[in-house]
Amino acid sequence: MKREILAYLLLLVFVGVSAQNAPQKRKIDTVKTEIVEVVTKFDPKIADANKIRKNPVIKLSDRNKKKKLTYSIFSAPVASTFIPKSGVVKGVDVGVRERIYDNYIAAGFGNYTSPYFEAYLHRQTRFQSEFGLLTKYTASFDDVENTLLNSTFSNFVANLFYKQEERYFDWKVGFATEMNQYNWYGLQPNIFAPNVINTINEGQNYNYFKFSGEVDFLDSYIDDANLFISYFSDNFDSKEVLASLHTNFDIPLNVLSSSLNNLAVKTSFELLNGSFKSDYTTLNELAYSIFTIRVNPEYTNDFNSFSLKLGAKIAASFDGENSVNHFLMYPDIKITKPIIKENLNIYVGVTGGLQTNTYKDFTEDNPFVSPTLFITQTSETYNAFLGLNGKINNDISFNLSGSIKEQEDKPLFIRNNSKSNGTNNTVFKGYEYGNSFTVVYDDVKSVSILGELEYDFNKNLTLGTNIQFDNYTTNLQSEAWNLPNVQASIFGKYKTNEWYATTNIFFIGDRKDVFYNAVFPSNNNTVNNLSSFIDININGGYHLNDKFSVFLKLNNVLNNQYERFANFNVQGFQVLGGLTYKFDF
């Protein structure tokens, strides 16, 4: 086998050598030659790029090179009269910064056996919640001089609230209560026998409870809304419930024009319901129920240095007891124009409104009213006013205005006629001895002039005064009962780091009430003139340190025995002193 393979290889070598040595014959090419160009798309890749090995050299021309600048100053003598003087830097006296505490307790005692207590407790947490409590108690357990009946009084007030801040709104709930005790001590002098006086029960207590809720919206068409329900009562089974919902809207008008401000709309829904056990003349029950809806759109803007407030007050009133309904509309316009910029402004306008009178409001103005009142609403048909205000300089500001207004069913306090002749043994109710007041309504037109002036003497002392003149024209009543024609006051405030003091001087002009010539049911009367009076009150104190202070209150400094209402004299010179403690939890 190996031999056969070797022989086969030798044969191949021989044939190859022979083939190389054999002569080649030239063949004739019969095929036409053509050139074919093949074009393909070049797809470059990063690997195909060649890196530049040398950096280019840029040569700048001589024109682009920075030139060296040279400066020269020409000096010339200048005449000067300035002579520098040495001095010291003057600082601004801002005083000692007063530390503000969130809580305080004050207690005191005065003549006429007058205890006093006041406290405010406040707490705020890191979760944007807030809690507060305010309570105050004042009383006098000694009688007013020369009074035949008990003339003591006491007042207690407490307010509690809780507030919470949320992401899109804040809400607040609260509870308030008042407990006030008064006496109908204003008997006509030299009429009542001792045995009659001993049978009079002159005490009256007022109790008030109020639940409220409030929501303040952030970045919303509704600014805020608040709801409250209150209950008011007395010793004679008088009851009054008031429920009210107030909402303020802020409606954008920029969709109509970019130059328009927002339109403010105030709305309210109010329900008043109450009753008295009897009226003054009969034993018939007095009841009242009034539902009121109010809408007050208001638009404000500035135009050519004029400040404009354009609005209207729309009211609908439904009297359920008397079946009387009213739909009323009042203007609400005010225009302000600066005469001398930042120093003198003139303003003019006209407004009006519908006011709901309540038993609670009447007792605040005159705590000696009888629980036999007729309750209705007062319509201020119009109130047109014109005034000037501004500043004489940076320290003195003023306001001077005049107004004309007309009110329908304006309430006036007038004394009740006595049912006792002073000698009979018939026992009447404690307010039926000519020692209480009722309310009468009349259409009254008023012309008023008001002047106000305030002077900031320095950072420690501020002085001010105001005076008002009123002229009343009544329709049915012969006089505007118990309304003064002149009212004036002077006030001052003084404060340093340690001392503080305030003073108020009041002047009330002559007033008029009735004087009955015979006992009830006679209505024969004449006019009783009540003299004007001046009342000076001073309140001051001294800060012992940041936490403790002492205070002193002086009332009726001139010891005037004036009549607040007919036959109701006030206490003389009163002194009350005490201590205040401020603290934080």
Side-chain angles (χ1 to χ4, degrees):
M1 185 67 182
K2 295 180 179 180
R3 292 177 182 179
E4 293 176 357
I5 295 172
L6 180 61
Y8 181 71
L9 293 174
L10 292 175
L11 180 60
L12 289 176
V13 172
F14 176 78
V15 172
V17 174
S18 298
Q20 292 179 358
N21 294 332
Q24 299 290 332
K25 292 182 180 182
R26 186 175 181 180
K27 296 180 181 181
I28 301 174
D29 187 5
T30 60
V31 181
K32 186 178 179 179
T33 303
E34 293 181 359
I35 299 173
V36 179
E37 294 181 0
V38 179
V39 181
T40 63
K41 182 179 179 181
F42 176 69
D43 188 9
K45 300 187 182 310
I46 295 176
D48 297 329
N50 294 325
K51 183 177 180 181
I52 300 176
R53 299 294 181 180
K54 296 181 180 180
N55 294 325
V57 178
I58 300 175
K59 294 183 179 181
L60 300 176
S61 64
D62 294 338
R63 292 180 302 174
N64 295 332
K65 293 182 179 180
K66 290 184 178 181
K67 296 181 179 180
K68 185 177 180 180
L69 300 177
T70 58
Y71 298 90
S72 62
I73 299 175
F74 176 74
S75 299
V78 178
S80 176
T81 59
F82 171 72
I83 301 175
K85 294 182 179 180
S86 61
V88 295
V89 178
K90 293 184 177 180
V92 179
D93 182 14
V94 297
V96 179
R97 183 177 180 182
E98 182 181 0
R99 181 175 177 180
I100 305 300
Y101 291 91
D102 290 337
N103 312 275
Y104 71 87
I105 296 175
F109 193 82
N111 63 339
Y112 292 97
T113 315
S114 302
Y116 169 81
F117 177 80
E118 184 176 355
Y120 178 71
L121 305 179
H122 177 263
R123 179 72 171 176
Q124 189 170 5
T125 68
R126 60 178 181 174
F127 300 105
Q128 292 79 43
S129 63
E130 190 175 354
F131 165 84
L133 171 65
L134 172 64
T135 182
K136 184 177 181 180
Y137 175 77
T138 58
S140 176
F141 298 116
D142 285 350
D143 293 330
V144 178
E145 295 180 6
N146 302 321
T147 56
L148 302 175
L149 298 177
N150 184 10
S151 56
T152 62
F153 74 91
S154 66
N155 303 118
F156 173 77
V157 178
N159 290 279
L160 177 69
F161 76 88
Y162 177 81
K163 183 178 180 181
Q164 179 70 46
E165 295 181 6
E166 304 291 351
R167 182 175 181 181
Y168 299 107
F169 60 89
D170 301 337
W171 58 271
K172 180 180 178 182
V173 293
F175 170 75
T177 183
E178 296 181 20
M179 298 179 183
N180 301 313
Q181 184 272 324
Y182 293 98
N183 291 283
W184 290 295
Y185 63 90
L187 288 179
Q188 183 73 26
N190 305 321
I191 291 180
F192 295 92
N195 62 315
V196 175
I197 295 175
N198 293 332
T199 61
I200 299 176
N201 183 10
E202 68 274 21
Q204 171 68 301
N205 292 309
Y206 299 118
N207 302 306
Y208 179 69
F209 303 95
K210 178 181 177 181
F211 298 89
S212 62
E214 181 179 347
V215 180
D216 291 329
F217 295 93
L218 306 176
D219 193 19
S220 174
Y221 294 141
I222 303 177
D223 277 348
D224 58 76
N226 61 79
L227 169 70
F228 75 83
I229 300 175
S230 65
Y231 177 78
F232 185 69
S233 64
D234 63 13
N235 280 357
F236 294 85
D237 296 330
S238 305
K239 300 177 179 63
E240 183 177 78
V241 177
L242 177 62
S244 178
L245 172 63
H246 294 264
T247 307
N248 296 326
F249 296 90
D250 192 22
I251 302 175
L253 300 180
N254 53 10
V255 295
L256 303 177
S257 174
S258 59
S259 62
L260 294 178
N261 294 334
N262 293 352
L263 176 66
V265 180
K266 303 175 183 178
T267 64
S268 69
F269 299 88
E270 187 179 77
L271 176 62
L272 176 67
N273 189 281
S275 64
F276 296 100
K277 191 173 182 179
S278 66
D279 61 10
Y280 196 79
T281 59
T282 67
L283 297 178
N284 298 330
E285 181 184 20
L286 279 175
Y288 52 96
S289 178
I290 304 173
F291 178 66
T292 308
I293 301 174
R294 297 182 180 88
V295 180
N296 177 208
E298 181 182 294
Y299 178 77
T300 59
N301 205 344
D302 295 334
F303 177 75
N304 289 342
S305 74
F306 285 89
S307 296
L308 306 177
K309 184 185 79 168
L310 304 176
K313 295 181 181 180
I314 305 169
S317 176
F318 307 92
D319 190 336
E321 289 294 331
N322 301 303
S323 300
V324 177
N325 302 328
H326 296 283
F327 296 90
L328 305 169
M329 180 177 292
Y330 308 91
D332 188 17
I333 301 172
K334 184 178 181 181
I335 303 173
T336 304
K337 165 71 174 177
I339 299 176
I340 302 176
K341 190 176 181 181
E342 297 182 357
N343 288 97
L344 181 61
N345 302 313
I346 183 172
Y347 59 91
V348 62
V350 59
T351 186
L354 181 65
Q355 177 185 351
T356 299
N357 300 305
T358 66
Y359 182 33
K360 171 71 164 55
D361 293 337
F362 286 145
T363 60
E364 291 179 351
D365 295 335
N366 184 349
F368 311 111
V369 293
S370 62
T372 58
L373 306 180
F374 175 73
I375 303 295
T376 188
Q377 294 178 304
T378 299
S379 174
E380 188 175 81
T381 308
Y382 66 88
N383 182 358
F385 56 88
L386 172 67
L388 297 170
N389 61 21
K391 294 182 177 181
I392 299 176
N393 52 40
N394 292 332
D395 300 326
I396 302 176
S397 59
F398 68 93
N399 177 46
L400 179 64
S401 66
S403 65
I404 301 176
K405 64 181 176 181
E406 186 172 334
Q407 295 171 288
E408 296 180 357
D409 293 328
K410 179 180 176 61
L412 303 171
F413 294 113
I414 188 172
R415 188 169 52 171
N416 286 316
N417 193 6
S418 175
K419 292 184 179 182
S420 171
N421 60 10
T423 59
N424 58 18
N425 293 323
T426 304
V427 178
F428 298 99
K429 296 177 182 177
Y431 55 85
E432 294 181 329
Y433 294 85
N435 55 342
S436 64
F437 295 83
T438 188
V439 173
V440 294
Y441 298 89
D442 196 7
D443 297 341
V444 180
K445 185 176 182 180
S446 307
V447 179
S448 303
I449 298 177
L450 171 66
E452 297 174 298
L453 183 68
E454 184 171 330
Y455 177 37
D456 292 331
F457 187 79
N458 53 42
K459 67 177 182 179
N460 297 327
L461 179 62
T462 301
L463 302 173
T465 183
N466 62 73
I467 184 171
Q468 179 173 334
F469 300 93
D470 296 294
N471 182 45
Y472 303 101
T473 303
T474 57
N475 184 26
L476 299 176
Q477 301 295 321
S478 59
E479 299 286 347
W481 306 116
N482 282 290
L483 292 180
N485 294 109
V486 181
Q487 302 178 69
S489 67
I490 300 175
F491 66 88
K493 300 178 182 179
Y494 176 77
K495 183 178 180 180
T496 63
N497 296 333
E498 293 83 17
W499 295 94
Y500 69 90
T502 61
T503 181
N504 291 279
I505 303 174
F506 299 98
F507 172 80
I508 303 297
D510 295 341
R511 294 142 294 143
K512 292 180 173 60
D513 206 326
V514 297
F515 179 83
Y516 295 98
N517 298 318
V519 298
F520 182 86
S522 173
N523 197 33
N524 185 17
N525 63 75
T526 58
V527 176
N528 179 27
N529 291 313
L530 301 179
S531 301
S532 60
F533 64 87
I534 296 177
D535 194 343
I536 300 178
N537 305 293
I538 301 174
N539 178 21
Y542 178 77
H543 298 292
L544 301 174
N545 51 46
D546 288 342
K547 292 187 175 183
F548 287 95
S549 303
V550 292
F551 63 86
L552 181 66
K553 297 182 179 181
L554 307 177
N555 295 328
N556 195 4
V557 175
L558 299 180
N559 195 30
N560 289 330
Q561 302 294 324
Y562 62 84
E563 293 178 287
R564 181 179 177 186
F565 295 98
N567 299 324
F568 283 84
N569 293 337
V570 300
Q571 293 177 339
F573 179 53
Q574 305 156 45
V575 180
L576 188 147
L579 179 69
T580 300
Y581 172 65
K582 296 175 287 186
F583 61 96
D584 286 331
F585 286 114

